[in-house]
Amino acid sequence: MRTAVNVALSGLAEGERRQIHVVTFDDGAAEALWAAASHAENVLRGQGTPRRSSAEDAATDFHGVYLNVFTQACTIESEDRVKLANVLEDLCRQVRLAEQSARAEKKRRADLAAWTEREADRDKARAAGNPLQGLADFGTAIFDPQPSQVALRPTPIHAAFHPRERRRAAGASSTGKSSADPDRLRTFARDRRAATAATQQELVRLQGSWARFVSTCSWVPVESSTFLAGFEKLLAEDSADASWTDRIAKAFEQAGGGSLSSAVLGFATAPDLPRRSKELLKELASLTPEEIAVLGRTQPGFFAKLQAVAPEAIAAWWAGLGGGYDANDRYVPSAVQKALIAAAPAVIGNLAGVAYGARDLANREWLTQQLAAARAEKDRLSKLPSTYGTGPDGLLEAIERVKALENIRKTLDAEESGRRSLIALTDDVPPLAQVAIGNLDTARNVSFTIPGMNTFTTDMIGWTRAAQNIYDAQHRVDESGSFAVVAWIGYKTPPVPVSGGDDFGVLRGDYARAGADRLAADLAGFNASRSGTLVSLDIIAHSYGTTTAATALAEHDFHVDSFVMVGSAGIEQAVGGAKGINASKVYAGQADDSYPWLSGDPWAWTGRLGSGRQNPITPGFGATVFGADGEPDDPKLHPTTAHDAVSGTDKDDSYGYLDRGSESLRNVALATTGRGREVTPDQQPSYSASNPYLPYNPYAPSKLPEAFQTPR
């Protein structure tokens, strides 16, 4: 039996030797964690009185629903801070207990190791047959018993803390007014930030000591350690409280110390709070003009949220705010609408669904602001040192921006028939813009004109002249009609390949694809704005604009009555002809193909040839083709002599597709006023008088596919 015991003891001793005799527990790391946790606990508890006093002072002269919101946030902060302090206090207790357990386990292991060594010596004596060993064993059992072989199991560290999120809005259903002293609120925000900064230092110290403890005291298991993440979130909530209170103070300050509704305070203090479109519009409609002004000054970017609302909802909301046209056909906004225009002209001026008369008012203000800023930037840059002889970086861009904005302003100031409205304006360089001639809100016949290659707002006057010519021509063929024509430069058009360097975008579809999306959005907005009214919608496109417009109309049905193309650079093959275009009637006109130095159109056919796009005047396309080369029986209907929409020369014999006096313009007017049956037919071409060897197409028809030819 003695031998069996000795064998067992020998086995235990060998097992002990395989163990790590040193328990992985750094007393210094444990002490550092205890000190950090204890200090943080004291700081958190010590902030109780000053935080409470600061909150009570801020609540002085604070009244209404938002006082309840403020008080609730302060209460949650106080309760959560005490909870964290309690967690840290308990962590200190657990660290002390772990220290005691580690010391006891270290002693047990050391004692067992020493006893094992002594027992090994006794085993040697027994093996040698020492006659006195029996007596010695009896004494050993009494005076040198074996220490415990059961390892101490430390209590796992558990330090969990999860602060609550604080509500900082009264809720959509809350009504009533609130008021407060802005100065007291700002003082509270400063106090809160100072307290948060002091506590932040405690968090940093605690994070460092905890990381050291975990890496050097791995003998103690960690069951939960969310207190650090919770501590960090608590401080984030404190910082958010300070920022929120500052926004409240700013809102009340902008209100001149008066009271504000829960809605405007909700917008001003929680601008990123998700809101459904219906709730957003309802709450905005409940604001007074003064509150809208406060919101515009405190959260100027807030109104951009309206851009995500469906145009139909915007149209109904805007109409419900009042406003309308007076006896002189001028748009007069309601007080609320006027405040919205003043607070966010860039948004309201380009918001689909808003009445176009209101958009004009907003965009004129936006134009004034942009022009002032652009001129100031141009002046600033012009005083800087030159770069590579072209002026400082950005100067050419600034010059172009000013030129475009001034051109738009001159376009609006032109004295022509039909009132002009600026219904869209962006801050691109150059900006995109849309000028309407006539009342787009009430006209019974509306035409959008889509430009082609190399049309920019730096010459807004030129494209608006084309729209003006259409407007006047429509009135000539229908004197009793009600018309509006939009000069739409709503997309970036491709440049002339030669002047645009290596940009041959006019031969590709990228520009058209982007333009089609923009056009589709604007037409959808128009239909939403004019929903419930009887209106004829027509699209007139020139050159690459036909590519853009056809792409849009092939993908969407906007109930277009007539789609008219002149000087087409070609229609994408995917459109599939007139039947693939969502328009009741499709028309196309094309001047004689020519060389650049001869009369006729030298660019439309080259655009079709270089791109492989369809020619809309071929019989297979299916459009109604009208004449553009002059009417022999009517000398007043002049032929189109260039690819331009309107001629850029002063020559009496130079005519673009949309110049006054051209056959093409009259046919466009007939096609868009319900008199498409009266358009003059395309005439059989003759050889050019200036060059008898040049036919209507400079290439032999036998060498070109039908899609590239211009049959007559």
Side-chain angles (χ1 to χ4, degrees), residues 133-158:
Q133 188 58 43
L135 182 61
D137 286 341
F138 178 78
T140 297
I142 298 174
F143 299 106
D144 190 14
Q146 180 183 5
S148 174
Q149 299 180 60
V150 179
L152 293 177
R153 301 298 179 187
T155 302
I157 297 291
H158 180 84

Side-chain angles (χ1 to χ4, degrees), residues 284 287 289 292-293 303 306 317-318 321 334-345 348 362:
L284 276 175
L287 303 184
I292 291 172
F303 295 98
L306 292 170
W317 167 71
W318 189 263
L321 297 178
S334 67
V336 170
Q337 290 173 336
K338 188 175 181 180
L340 286 167
I341 290 170
I348 301 301

